[in-house]
Amino acid sequence: QVQLVESGGGLVQPGGSLRLSCAASGIIFSLYNMRWYRQGPGKQRELVATITRGSSTSYAESVKGRFTISRDNAKNTVYLQMNSLKPEDTAVYYCNAEFVSLYWGQGTQVTVSS
């Protein structure tokens, strides 16, 4: 059974930082391209960051220079380090694993507010 479990969300003040984690099980993690998406209130789900199985990375323009995606294949985990957070970063953040199949986590809430 495939599971993606996100953690690390919470309430943070503008300018603060959070580190999200997504632990995968039931897949050969090193084969998968991993992505973080988010869905803000009243908005469509959007792609935030991608890390390929070869560890190439890409980012949405809105988070470039502030967010960093990384992976640890030994721990079957992908991370999203989020710095200089803004209120518009408030969303449910989801991780996604893509290879032959596509899997989603259940999401973790990030709220940026003073």
Side-chain angles (χ1 to χ4, degrees):
Q1 182 181 0
V2 177
Q3 280 194 310
L4 300 177
V5 180
E6 299 99 335
S7 60
L11 173 64
V12 63
Q13 292 189 340
S17 297
L18 283 175
R19 188 196 197 201
L20 305 184
S21 299
C22 171
S25 59
I27 59 172
I28 303 174
F29 182 78
S30 61
L31 294 179
Y32 280 73
N33 300 316
M34 300 298 296
R35 296 179 175 88
W36 285 97
Y37 284 77
R38 67 184 181 187
Q39 187 165 16
K43 297 181 180 179
Q44 290 190 327
R45 192 172 295 192
E46 64 173 346
L47 177 61
V48 175
T50 299
I51 186 164
T52 68
R53 58 184 181 177
S55 294
S56 296
T57 60
S58 60
Y59 299 91
E61 284 296 325
S62 59
V63 307
K64 272 184 183 177
R66 300 188 298 123
F67 290 10
T68 302
I69 189 170
S70 61
R71 65 191 297 159
D72 185 337
N73 289 343
K75 295 183 178 179
N76 288 357
T77 300
V78 62
Y79 304 97
L80 187 68
Q81 177 67 44
M82 305 187 296
N83 299 328
S84 303
L85 282 161
K86 305 175 181 180
E88 52 263 43
D89 295 317
T90 294
V92 179
Y93 284 73
Y94 300 89
C95 71
N96 164 290
E98 173 261 323
F99 179 44
V100 175
S101 299
L102 189 66
Y103 301 103
W104 291 90
Q106 83 289 348
T108 185
Q109 176 70 49
V110 171
T111 302
V112 185
S113 175
S114 54

